[in-house]
Coordinates of all heavy atoms in Angstrom, one line a residue:
M1 N -64.2 -69.5 105.2 CA -63.8 -68.3 105.7 C -63.8 -68.4 107.2 O -64.8 -68.9 107.9 CB -64.8 -67.2 105.2 CG -64.5 -65.9 105.9 SD -65.7 -64.5 105.4 CE -65.2 -64.2 103.7
S2 N -62.7 -68.0 107.9 CA -62.6 -68.1 109.3 C -63.5 -67.1 110.0 O -63.9 -66.1 109.3 CB -61.2 -68.0 109.9 OG -60.7 -66.7 109.6
S3 N -63.8 -67.2 111.2 CA -64.7 -66.4 112.0 C -64.0 -64.9 112.1 O -64.6 -63.9 112.2 CB -65.1 -66.8 113.2 OG -63.9 -67.1 114.1
L4 N -62.6 -64.9 112.2 CA -61.9 -63.7 112.3 C -62.0 -62.9 111.0 O -62.2 -61.7 111.0 CB -60.5 -63.9 112.7 CG -59.6 -62.7 112.9 CD1 -60.2 -61.9 114.1 CD2 -58.2 -63.1 113.2
N5 N -61.9 -63.5 109.9 CA -62.0 -62.8 108.6 C -63.5 -62.4 108.4 O -63.7 -61.4 107.8 CB -61.6 -63.8 107.5 CG -60.2 -64.1 107.4 OD1 -59.4 -63.2 108.0 ND2 -59.7 -65.1 106.8
A6 N -64.4 -63.2 108.8 CA -65.8 -62.7 108.7 C -66.1 -61.5 109.5 O -66.8 -60.6 109.1 CB -66.8 -63.9 109.0
A7 N -65.5 -61.5 110.7 CA -65.7 -60.4 111.6 C -65.1 -59.1 111.0 O -65.7 -58.0 111.1 CB -65.1 -60.7 113.0
N8 N -63.8 -59.2 110.5 CA -63.1 -58.2 109.9 C -64.0 -57.6 108.7 O -64.1 -56.4 108.5 CB -61.7 -58.5 109.5 CG -60.9 -58.7 110.7 OD1 -61.1 -58.1 111.7 ND2 -59.8 -59.3 110.5
L9 N -64.5 -58.6 107.8 CA -65.3 -58.1 106.6 C -66.5 -57.4 107.1 O -66.9 -56.4 106.5 CB -65.7 -59.4 105.8 CG -66.4 -59.0 104.5 CD1 -65.7 -58.2 103.6 CD2 -66.9 -60.4 104.0
T10 N -67.2 -57.9 108.1 CA -68.4 -57.2 108.7 C -68.2 -55.8 109.1 O -68.8 -54.9 108.9 CB -69.0 -58.1 109.8 OG1 -69.3 -59.4 109.2 CG2 -70.3 -57.5 110.4
I11 N -67.0 -55.6 110.0 CA -66.6 -54.3 110.5 C -66.3 -53.4 109.3 O -66.7 -52.3 109.3 CB -65.6 -54.4 111.5 CG1 -66.0 -55.1 112.7 CG2 -65.0 -53.1 111.8 CD1 -64.9 -55.6 113.7
A12 N -65.7 -53.9 108.3 CA -65.3 -53.0 107.1 C -66.5 -52.6 106.3 O -66.6 -51.4 106.0 CB -64.3 -53.8 106.2
L13 N -67.4 -53.5 106.1 CA -68.6 -53.2 105.5 C -69.4 -52.3 106.1 O -70.1 -51.3 105.6 CB -69.4 -54.5 104.9 CG -68.7 -55.3 103.9 CD1 -69.5 -56.7 103.6 CD2 -68.4 -54.5 102.6
T14 N -69.6 -52.5 107.4 CA -70.3 -51.6 108.3 C -69.8 -50.2 108.3 O -70.5 -49.2 108.1 CB -70.4 -52.1 109.7 OG1 -71.1 -53.5 109.7 CG2 -71.4 -51.2 110.6
S15 N -68.4 -50.2 108.4 CA -67.9 -48.7 108.4 C -68.0 -48.1 106.9 O -68.2 -46.9 107.0 CB -66.3 -49.0 108.6 OG -66.2 -49.5 109.9
L16 N -67.9 -48.8 105.9 CA -68.1 -48.2 104.5 C -69.6 -47.8 104.5 O -69.8 -46.6 104.0 CB -67.8 -49.3 103.5 CG -68.0 -48.8 102.1 CD1 -67.0 -47.7 101.8 CD2 -67.9 -50.0 101.1
F17 N -70.6 -48.5 105.0 CA -72.0 -48.2 104.9 C -72.1 -46.9 105.8 O -72.8 -46.0 105.3 CB -72.8 -49.2 105.4 CG -74.3 -48.8 105.5 CD1 -75.1 -48.7 104.3 CD2 -74.9 -48.4 106.5 CE1 -76.4 -48.3 104.3 CE2 -76.1 -48.0 106.7 CZ -77.0 -48.0 105.5
F18 N -71.5 -46.8 106.8 CA -71.6 -45.7 107.7 C -71.1 -44.5 107.1 O -71.7 -43.3 107.2 CB -71.0 -45.9 109.1 CG -71.0 -44.8 110.1 CD1 -72.3 -44.4 110.7 CD2 -70.0 -44.0 110.3 CE1 -72.3 -43.3 111.6 CE2 -70.0 -42.9 111.1 CZ -71.1 -42.6 111.8
L19 N -70.0 -44.5 106.4 CA -69.5 -43.4 105.8 C -70.2 -42.9 104.6 O -70.4 -41.7 104.5 CB -68.0 -43.7 105.3 CG -66.9 -43.9 106.4 CD1 -65.6 -44.4 105.8 CD2 -66.7 -42.6 107.2
V20 N -70.6 -43.8 103.8 CA -71.5 -43.4 102.7 C -72.7 -42.7 103.2 O -73.3 -41.8 102.6 CB -71.7 -44.5 101.7 CG1 -72.7 -44.3 100.6 CG2 -70.4 -44.9 101.1
A21 N -73.5 -43.4 104.1 CA -74.7 -42.9 104.6 C -74.5 -41.6 105.3 O -75.4 -40.7 105.1 CB -75.4 -43.9 105.6
S22 N -73.5 -41.3 106.1 CA -73.2 -40.2 106.6 C -73.1 -39.0 105.6 O -73.5 -37.9 105.8 CB -71.9 -40.2 107.5 OG -72.1 -41.2 108.6
F23 N -72.2 -39.3 104.6 CA -72.0 -38.3 103.5 C -73.4 -38.0 102.9 O -73.8 -36.8 102.7 CB -71.1 -38.8 102.5 CG -71.1 -37.9 101.3 CD1 -70.3 -36.8 101.3 CD2 -71.8 -38.2 100.1 CE1 -70.3 -35.9 100.2 CE2 -71.8 -37.3 99.1 CZ -71.0 -36.2 99.1
A24 N -74.3 -39.1 102.5 CA -75.4 -38.8 101.9 C -76.5 -37.9 102.7 O -77.2 -37.1 102.1 CB -76.1 -40.1 101.5
V25 N -76.5 -38.2 104.0 CA -77.5 -37.5 104.9 C -77.0 -36.3 105.5 O -77.6 -35.3 105.5 CB -78.0 -38.6 105.9 CG1 -78.9 -37.9 106.9 CG2 -78.6 -39.8 105.3
L26 N -75.8 -36.3 106.0 CA -75.3 -35.1 106.9 C -74.3 -34.2 106.1 O -74.6 -33.0 106.1 CB -74.6 -35.7 108.1 CG -75.3 -36.7 109.0 CD1 -74.6 -37.3 109.9 CD2 -76.6 -35.9 109.6
F27 N -73.3 -34.8 105.5 CA -72.3 -34.0 105.0 C -72.5 -33.4 103.6 O -71.7 -32.5 103.2 CB -70.9 -34.7 105.1 CG -70.5 -35.2 106.5 CD1 -70.3 -36.5 106.6 CD2 -70.6 -34.3 107.5 CE1 -70.1 -37.0 107.9 CE2 -70.4 -34.8 108.8 CZ -70.1 -36.2 109.0
S28 N -73.3 -34.0 102.9 CA -73.4 -33.6 101.5 C -73.9 -32.2 101.2 O -73.6 -31.6 100.2 CB -74.5 -34.6 100.7 OG -75.7 -34.4 101.3
A29 N -74.6 -31.7 102.3 CA -75.1 -30.3 102.1 C -73.9 -29.3 102.3 O -74.0 -28.1 101.8 CB -76.1 -29.9 103.2
F30 N -72.8 -29.7 102.9 CA -71.7 -28.8 103.2 C -70.6 -29.0 102.4 O -69.5 -28.2 102.4 CB -71.3 -29.0 104.7 CG -72.5 -28.8 105.7 CD1 -73.0 -29.9 106.4 CD2 -73.0 -27.5 105.9 CE1 -74.0 -29.8 107.3 CE2 -74.1 -27.4 106.8 CZ -74.5 -28.4 107.4
L31 N -70.5 -30.0 101.6 CA -69.4 -30.4 100.7 C -69.6 -30.1 99.3 O -70.8 -30.2 98.9 CB -69.0 -31.9 101.0 CG -68.5 -32.2 102.4 CD1 -68.3 -33.7 102.5 CD2 -67.2 -31.5 102.8
P32 N -68.6 -29.9 98.5 CA -68.8 -29.8 97.1 C -69.2 -31.1 96.4 O -69.1 -32.2 97.0 CB -67.4 -29.2 96.6 CG -66.5 -29.8 97.6 CD -67.2 -29.8 98.9
P33 N -69.7 -30.9 95.1 CA -70.1 -32.3 94.5 C -69.0 -33.2 94.4 O -67.8 -32.8 94.2 CB -70.7 -31.7 93.2 CG -71.1 -30.3 93.4 CD -70.1 -29.9 94.4
S34 N -69.2 -34.5 94.4 CA -68.1 -35.5 94.3 C -67.8 -35.7 92.8 O -68.5 -35.1 91.9 CB -68.7 -36.8 94.9 OG -69.6 -37.3 94.1
A35 N -66.8 -36.6 92.5 CA -66.4 -36.8 91.1 C -66.5 -38.4 90.8 O -65.8 -38.8 90.0 CB -65.0 -36.4 91.0
I36 N -67.4 -39.0 91.5 CA -67.5 -40.5 91.2 C -68.6 -40.7 90.2 O -69.8 -40.3 90.5 CB -67.8 -41.3 92.4 CG1 -66.7 -41.1 93.5 CG2 -68.1 -42.7 92.2 CD1 -67.0 -41.7 94.9
P37 N -68.3 -41.2 89.0 CA -69.4 -41.3 88.0 C -70.4 -42.3 88.2 O -70.2 -43.3 89.0 CB -68.5 -41.6 86.8 CG -67.3 -42.3 87.2 CD -67.0 -41.7 88.6
V38 N -71.6 -42.1 87.6 CA -72.7 -43.1 87.8 C -72.4 -44.2 86.6 O -72.1 -43.9 85.5 CB -74.0 -42.3 87.4 CG1 -75.1 -43.4 87.4 CG2 -74.3 -41.4 88.6
R39 N -72.6 -45.3 87.1 CA -72.6 -46.5 86.1 C -74.0 -46.8 85.8 O -74.8 -47.2 86.7 CB -71.8 -47.8 86.8 CG -70.4 -47.4 86.9 CD -69.7 -48.6 87.4 NE -69.8 -49.8 86.4 CZ -69.7 -50.9 86.8 NH1 -69.3 -51.4 87.8 NH2 -69.8 -51.9 85.8
P40 N -74.4 -46.7 84.5 CA -75.9 -46.9 84.2 C -76.5 -48.2 84.5 O -77.6 -48.3 84.8 CB -76.0 -46.6 82.8 CG -74.7 -45.7 82.5 CD -73.7 -46.3 83.4
R41 N -75.6 -49.3 84.6 CA -76.2 -50.6 84.9 C -76.7 -50.8 86.3 O -77.5 -51.6 86.5 CB -75.1 -51.6 84.5 CG -74.9 -51.9 83.2 CD -73.8 -52.8 82.9 NE -72.6 -52.1 82.7 CZ -71.5 -52.5 83.2 NH1 -71.3 -53.6 83.9 NH2 -70.5 -51.7 82.9
I42 N -76.1 -50.0 87.3 CA -76.6 -50.2 88.7 C -77.6 -49.3 89.1 O -78.1 -49.4 90.2 CB -75.3 -50.1 89.6 CG1 -74.7 -48.6 89.6 CG2 -74.3 -51.1 89.3 CD1 -73.7 -48.5 90.7
I43 N -78.0 -48.2 88.3 CA -79.1 -47.3 88.6 C -80.3 -47.7 87.9 O -80.2 -47.9 86.7 CB -78.7 -45.9 88.3 CG1 -77.3 -45.4 88.8 CG2 -79.7 -44.9 88.6 CD1 -77.3 -45.3 90.4
P44 N -81.4 -47.8 88.6 CA -82.7 -48.1 87.9 C -83.0 -47.1 86.8 O -82.6 -46.0 86.8 CB -83.8 -48.1 89.0 CG -82.9 -48.3 90.3 CD -81.6 -47.7 90.1
A45 N -83.8 -47.6 85.9 CA -84.1 -46.7 84.7 C -84.8 -45.5 85.1 O -84.6 -44.4 84.5 CB -84.9 -47.6 83.7
A46 N -85.8 -45.5 86.0 CA -86.5 -44.2 86.4 C -85.6 -43.2 87.0 O -85.7 -42.0 86.6 CB -87.6 -44.5 87.3
I47 N -84.7 -43.6 87.8 CA -83.6 -42.7 88.4 C -82.6 -42.3 87.4 O -82.2 -41.2 87.4 CB -83.0 -43.3 89.6 CG1 -84.1 -43.7 90.8 CG2 -81.9 -42.5 90.2 CD1 -83.6 -44.5 91.9
R48 N -82.3 -43.3 86.5 CA -81.3 -42.9 85.5 C -81.7 -41.8 84.5 O -81.0 -40.9 84.2 CB -80.9 -44.1 84.6 CG -79.7 -43.9 83.8 CD -79.4 -45.2 83.0 NE -79.7 -46.5 83.7 CZ -80.2 -47.6 83.1 NH1 -80.6 -47.5 81.8 NH2 -80.5 -48.6 83.8
L49 N -83.0 -41.7 84.3 CA -83.5 -40.6 83.4 C -83.4 -39.3 84.0 O -83.2 -38.3 83.5 CB -84.9 -41.0 82.9 CG -85.1 -42.2 82.1 CD1 -86.6 -42.5 81.8 CD2 -84.4 -42.0 80.7
T50 N -83.6 -39.2 85.4 CA -83.7 -38.1 86.2 C -82.3 -37.7 86.5 O -82.0 -36.4 86.3 CB -84.4 -38.4 87.5 OG1 -85.7 -38.9 87.2 CG2 -84.6 -37.0 88.2
Y51 N -81.4 -38.5 86.8 CA -80.1 -38.1 87.3 C -79.0 -38.5 86.2 O -78.0 -39.0 86.6 CB -79.7 -38.7 88.7 CG -80.7 -38.2 89.6 CD1 -81.6 -39.1 90.2 CD2 -80.5 -36.9 90.1 CE1 -82.4 -38.6 91.4 CE2 -81.3 -36.4 91.2 CZ -82.2 -37.3 91.8 OH -83.0 -36.8 92.7
Q52 N -79.3 -38.3 85.0 CA -78.5 -38.8 83.9 C -77.1 -38.3 83.9 O -76.0 -39.0 83.7 CB -79.2 -38.6 82.5 CG -78.7 -39.4 81.4 CD -79.6 -39.1 80.3 OE1 -80.5 -38.2 80.3 NE2 -79.5 -40.0 79.3
H53 N -76.9 -37.0 84.2 CA -75.6 -36.3 84.1 C -74.9 -36.1 85.4 O -74.0 -35.3 85.5 CB -75.7 -35.1 83.3 CG -76.3 -35.3 81.9 ND1 -75.7 -35.9 81.0 CD2 -77.5 -35.0 81.5 CE1 -76.4 -36.0 79.8 NE2 -77.5 -35.4 80.1
H54 N -75.4 -36.7 86.5 CA -74.9 -36.5 87.8 C -74.0 -37.5 88.3 O -73.8 -38.5 87.5 CB -76.0 -36.3 88.8 CG -76.9 -35.1 88.6 ND1 -76.4 -33.8 88.9 CD2 -78.2 -35.1 88.1 CE1 -77.5 -33.0 88.5 NE2 -78.5 -33.7 88.0
Q55 N -73.3 -37.4 89.3 CA -72.2 -38.3 89.8 C -73.0 -39.2 90.9 O -74.0 -38.8 91.4 CB -71.1 -37.6 90.5 CG -70.5 -36.6 89.7 CD -69.9 -37.2 88.3 OE1 -69.4 -38.3 88.4 NE2 -70.0 -36.5 87.3
L56 N -72.4 -40.3 91.2 CA -73.0 -41.3 92.0 C -73.4 -40.8 93.5 O -74.6 -40.9 93.9 CB -72.1 -42.6 92.2 CG -72.7 -43.7 93.1 CD1 -74.0 -44.2 92.5 CD2 -71.7 -44.9 93.2
L57 N -72.5 -40.2 94.2 CA -72.8 -39.7 95.5 C -73.6 -38.4 95.4 O -74.4 -38.2 96.3 CB -71.5 -39.5 96.3 CG -70.7 -40.8 96.7 CD1 -69.5 -40.3 97.4 CD2 -71.6 -41.6 97.6
D58 N -73.6 -37.7 94.4 CA -74.4 -36.6 94.1 C -75.9 -37.0 94.0 O -76.8 -36.3 94.4 CB -74.0 -35.7 92.9 CG -72.6 -35.2 93.0 OD1 -72.2 -35.0 94.3 OD2 -71.9 -34.9 92.1
V59 N -76.2 -38.1 93.3 CA -77.5 -38.7 93.3 C -78.1 -38.9 94.6 O -79.1 -38.5 95.0 CB -77.5 -39.9 92.5 CG1 -78.9 -40.6 92.5 CG2 -77.2 -39.6 91.0
L60 N -77.2 -39.5 95.5 CA -77.7 -39.7 96.9 C -77.8 -38.4 97.6 O -78.8 -38.2 98.5 CB -76.7 -40.5 97.7 CG -76.7 -41.9 97.4 CD1 -75.5 -42.6 98.1 CD2 -77.9 -42.6 97.8
A61 N -77.0 -37.3 97.4 CA -77.0 -36.2 98.1 C -78.2 -35.4 97.7 O -78.8 -34.6 98.5 CB -75.8 -35.4 97.8
Q62 N -78.7 -35.5 96.6 CA -79.8 -34.6 95.9 C -81.1 -35.3 96.3 O -82.2 -34.6 96.3 CB -79.6 -34.3 94.4 CG -78.5 -33.5 94.1 CD -78.2 -33.4 92.6 OE1 -79.0 -34.0 91.8 NE2 -77.2 -32.6 92.2
D63 N -81.1 -36.5 96.5 CA -82.3 -37.2 96.8 C -82.9 -36.8 98.1 O -82.0 -36.6 99.1 CB -82.2 -38.7 96.7 CG -83.4 -39.5 97.0 OD1 -84.4 -39.1 96.2 OD2 -83.5 -40.5 97.7
T64 N -84.2 -36.6 98.3 CA -84.7 -36.2 99.6 C -85.6 -37.2 100.3 O -86.1 -37.0 101.4 CB -85.6 -34.8 99.4 OG1 -86.6 -35.2 98.4 CG2 -84.7 -33.7 98.9
H65 N -85.6 -38.3 99.6 CA -86.6 -39.4 100.2 C -85.8 -40.7 100.5 O -85.8 -41.2 101.5 CB -87.8 -39.6 99.4 CG -88.8 -40.7 99.9 ND1 -89.5 -40.5 101.0 CD2 -89.1 -41.9 99.4 CE1 -90.2 -41.6 101.2 NE2 -90.0 -42.5 100.2
Y66 N -85.3 -41.3 99.4 CA -84.8 -42.6 99.6 C -83.6 -42.7 100.3 O -83.2 -43.8 100.7 CB -84.7 -43.3 98.1 CG -85.9 -43.6 97.5 CD1 -86.6 -42.9 96.6 CD2 -86.8 -44.6 98.1 CE1 -87.8 -43.1 95.9 CE2 -88.0 -44.9 97.5 CZ -88.5 -44.1 96.5 OH -89.8 -44.5 96.0
K67 N -82.7 -41.7 100.4 CA -81.5 -41.7 101.1 C -81.8 -42.0 102.6 O -81.1 -42.7 103.3 CB -80.7 -40.4 101.0 CG -81.2 -39.2 101.6 CD -80.2 -38.1 101.3 CE -80.8 -36.7 101.8 NZ -79.9 -35.7 101.4
Y68 N -82.9 -41.4 103.1 CA -83.3 -41.8 104.5 C -84.0 -43.1 104.6 O -83.8 -43.8 105.7 CB -84.4 -40.7 104.9 CG -83.8 -39.3 104.9 CD1 -84.5 -38.4 104.0 CD2 -82.8 -38.9 105.8 CE1 -83.9 -37.1 104.0 CE2 -82.3 -37.6 105.7 CZ -82.9 -36.8 104.8 OH -82.4 -35.4 104.8
F69 N -84.6 -43.6 103.5 CA -85.2 -45.0 103.5 C -84.1 -46.0 103.7 O -84.1 -46.9 104.5 CB -86.1 -45.2 102.3 CG -86.5 -46.5 102.2 CD1 -87.6 -47.0 103.0 CD2 -86.0 -47.4 101.3 CE1 -88.0 -48.3 102.8 CE2 -86.4 -48.7 101.1 CZ -87.5 -49.1 101.9
V70 N -83.1 -45.8 102.8 CA -82.0 -46.8 102.9 C -81.2 -46.8 104.2 O -80.9 -47.8 104.7 CB -80.9 -46.5 101.6 CG1 -79.6 -47.3 101.8 CG2 -81.7 -46.8 100.4
L71 N -81.1 -45.6 104.8 CA -80.3 -45.4 106.0 C -81.1 -46.1 107.2 O -80.5 -46.8 108.0 CB -80.0 -44.0 106.3 CG -79.2 -43.8 107.6 CD1 -77.9 -44.4 107.5 CD2 -79.1 -42.3 107.8
L72 N -82.4 -45.9 107.2 CA -83.2 -46.3 108.3 C -83.8 -47.7 108.1 O -84.3 -48.3 109.1 CB -84.6 -45.4 108.5 CG -84.0 -44.0 109.0 CD1 -85.1 -43.0 108.9 CD2 -83.3 -44.0 110.2
I73 N -83.8 -48.2 106.9 CA -84.2 -49.7 106.8 C -83.3 -50.8 107.6 O -83.9 -51.7 108.1 CB -84.4 -50.1 105.3 CG1 -85.2 -51.3 105.1 CG2 -83.0 -50.4 104.8 CD1 -86.6 -51.0 105.3
I74 N -82.2 -50.4 107.8 CA -81.3 -51.4 108.6 C -81.7 -51.4 110.0 O -81.9 -52.5 110.6 CB -79.8 -51.1 108.3 CG1 -79.5 -51.4 106.9 CG2 -78.9 -51.9 109.2 CD1 -78.1 -51.0 106.5
P75 N -81.7 -50.4 110.8 CA -82.1 -50.5 112.2 C -83.6 -51.0 112.4 O -84.0 -51.7 113.2 CB -82.0 -49.1 112.8 CG -81.7 -48.2 111.8 CD -81.4 -49.0 110.5
T76 N -84.5 -50.6 111.4 CA -85.9 -51.0 111.4 C -85.9 -52.5 111.3 O -86.7 -53.2 112.0 CB -86.7 -50.3 110.3 OG1 -86.6 -48.9 110.6 CG2 -88.2 -50.6 110.5
S77 N -85.3 -53.0 110.3 CA -85.2 -54.5 110.0 C -84.6 -55.2 111.2 O -85.1 -56.2 111.6 CB -84.5 -54.8 108.8 OG -85.1 -54.2 107.7
S78 N -83.6 -54.7 111.8 CA -83.0 -55.3 113.0 C -83.9 -55.4 114.1 O -84.0 -56.5 114.8 CB -81.7 -54.6 113.4 OG -80.7 -54.6 112.4
Y79 N -84.7 -54.3 114.4 CA -85.6 -54.3 115.4 C -86.7 -55.4 115.2 O -87.2 -56.1 116.1 CB -86.2 -52.8 115.6 CG -87.4 -52.9 116.6 CD1 -87.2 -52.9 118.0 CD2 -88.7 -52.8 116.1 CE1 -88.2 -53.0 118.8 CE2 -89.8 -53.0 117.0 CZ -89.5 -52.9 118.4 OH -90.6 -53.0 119.2
F80 N -87.2 -55.3 114.0 CA -88.3 -56.4 113.5 C -87.8 -57.8 113.8 O -88.6 -58.7 114.5 CB -88.6 -56.2 112.1 CG -89.7 -57.1 111.6 CD1 -91.0 -56.9 111.9 CD2 -89.3 -58.2 110.9 CE1 -92.0 -57.8 111.5 CE2 -90.2 -59.1 110.4 CZ -91.6 -58.9 110.8
V81 N -86.5 -58.1 113.4 CA -86.1 -59.5 113.6 C -85.9 -59.8 115.1 O -86.3 -60.9 115.5 CB -84.7 -59.6 112.9 CG1 -84.0 -60.9 113.2 CG2 -84.9 -59.6 111.4
I82 N -85.3 -58.8 115.8 CA -85.2 -59.1 117.3 C -86.4 -59.2 117.9 O -86.7 -60.1 118.9 CB -84.3 -58.0 118.0 CG1 -82.8 -58.1 117.4 CG2 -84.3 -58.1 119.4 CD1 -82.0 -56.8 117.7
A83 N -87.4 -58.4 117.7 CA -88.8 -58.5 118.4 C -89.4 -59.7 117.9 O -90.1 -60.4 118.8 CB -89.6 -57.3 118.0
N84 N -89.3 -60.2 116.7 CA -90.0 -61.5 116.4 C -89.3 -62.6 117.2 O -90.0 -63.6 117.5 CB -89.8 -61.8 114.8 CG -91.0 -61.2 114.1 OD1 -92.1 -61.1 114.7 ND2 -90.8 -60.8 112.9
W85 N -88.0 -62.6 117.2 CA -87.3 -63.6 118.0 C -87.7 -63.7 119.4 O -87.9 -64.8 119.9 CB -85.8 -63.5 117.8 CG -85.0 -64.5 118.5 CD1 -84.7 -65.8 118.0 CD2 -84.4 -64.5 119.8 NE1 -84.1 -66.5 119.1 CE2 -83.8 -65.7 120.0 CE3 -84.3 -63.4 120.7 CZ2 -83.1 -65.9 121.3 CZ3 -83.5 -63.6 121.9 CH2 -83.0 -64.9 122.2
V86 N -87.8 -62.5 120.0 CA -88.2 -62.5 121.4 C -89.6 -62.9 121.6 O -89.9 -63.8 122.5 CB -87.9 -61.0 122.0 CG1 -88.6 -60.9 123.4 CG2 -86.5 -60.7 122.1
G87 N -90.5 -62.5 120.8 CA -91.9 -63.1 120.8 C -92.0 -64.4 120.6 O -92.8 -65.2 121.3
W88 N -91.3 -65.0 119.7 CA -91.2 -66.6 119.5 C -90.6 -67.3 120.7 O -91.1 -68.3 121.1 CB -90.3 -66.8 118.3 CG -90.3 -68.3 118.0 CD1 -89.3 -69.1 118.1 CD2 -91.4 -69.1 117.4 NE1 -89.7 -70.4 117.7 CE2 -91.0 -70.4 117.3 CE3 -92.8 -68.8 117.2 CZ2 -91.9 -71.5 116.9 CZ3 -93.6 -69.8 116.7 CH2 -93.1 -71.1 116.7
Q89 N -89.7 -66.7 121.4 CA -89.1 -67.2 122.6 C -90.2 -67.3 123.7 O -90.3 -68.3 124.5 CB -87.8 -66.6 123.1 CG -86.7 -66.7 122.1 CD -86.3 -68.1 122.0 OE1 -86.2 -68.9 122.8 NE2 -86.1 -68.5 120.7
Y90 N -90.9 -66.2 123.9 CA -91.9 -66.1 124.9 C -93.0 -67.2 124.5 O -93.6 -67.8 125.4 CB -92.6 -64.7 124.9 CG -91.7 -63.7 125.6 CD1 -91.9 -62.4 125.2 CD2 -90.9 -63.9 126.6 CE1 -91.2 -61.4 125.8 CE2 -90.2 -63.0 127.2 CZ -90.3 -61.7 126.9 OH -89.6 -60.8 127.5
Y91 N -93.4 -67.2 123.3 CA -94.4 -68.2 122.9 C -93.9 -69.7 123.2 O -94.7 -70.4 123.7 CB -94.7 -68.1 121.3 CG -95.6 -69.1 120.9 CD1 -97.0 -69.1 121.2 CD2 -95.1 -70.2 120.0 CE1 -97.9 -70.0 120.6 CE2 -96.0 -71.1 119.4 CZ -97.4 -71.1 119.8 OH -98.2 -72.1 119.4
Q92 N -92.6 -70.1 122.8 CA -92.2 -71.4 122.9 C -92.1 -71.7 124.5 O -92.3 -72.9 124.9 CB -90.8 -71.6 122.4 CG -90.8 -71.8 120.9 CD -89.5 -72.0 120.2 OE1 -88.5 -71.6 120.9 NE2 -89.4 -72.7 119.2
N93 N -91.7 -70.8 125.2 CA -91.5 -71.1 126.8 C -92.7 -70.7 127.7 O -92.5 -71.0 128.8 CB -90.2 -70.2 127.2 CG -89.0 -70.6 126.5 OD1 -88.7 -71.8 126.3 ND2 -88.2 -69.6 126.1
S94 N -93.7 -70.5 127.1 CA -95.0 -70.3 128.0 C -95.8 -71.6 127.9 O -95.6 -72.5 127.3 CB -95.8 -69.1 127.5 OG -96.3 -69.5 126.3

């Protein structure tokens, strides 16, 4: 895969994640329920029992805890990786 294709794929996936996360966190309270069905194989069993008859984005919209966790784990992980790298650079160059 060329670097241009990899960059386009990264931008597309980032945009898709941003749109889904924006819907789940911000816009779901103002919009009607979606019509995207839940596929039982991709939903864990504990969640599947609770949200058995709901739609996929509706599960994210109704959740009050994990939608924020999924959204915030990416910048938190990025900060952790960058801080570790900077600390390692300080250690190596001292």
Side-chain angles (χ1 to χ4, degrees):
M1 177 183 290
S2 71
S3 62
L4 183 60
N5 288 339
N8 288 336
L9 180 65
T10 302
I11 291 170
L13 291 176
T14 302
S15 300
L16 179 66
F17 176 79
F18 177 75
L19 290 173
V20 170
S22 296
F23 173 80
V25 175
L26 303 172
F27 305 126
S28 62
F30 306 110
L31 296 174
S34 67
I36 301 174
V38 173
R39 293 185 59 197
R41 285 179 267 140
I42 63 171
I43 304 294
I47 297 173
R48 192 179 324 139
L49 293 175
T50 307
Y51 296 110
Q52 200 166 13
H53 302 290
H54 295 285
Q55 307 299 327
L56 180 61
L57 290 177
D58 295 337
V59 172
L60 284 173
Q62 292 174 357
D63 186 44
T64 58
H65 178 70
Y66 288 108
K67 67 180 176 184
Y68 301 114
F69 176 74
V70 170
L71 182 63
L72 293 175
I73 195 71
I74 292 177
T76 305
S77 300
S78 300
Y79 172 75
F80 179 77
V81 168
I82 292 169
N84 270 334
W85 180 79
V86 169
W88 183 249
Q89 293 301 314
Y90 284 151
Y91 175 74
Q92 282 185 334
N93 294 320
S94 64

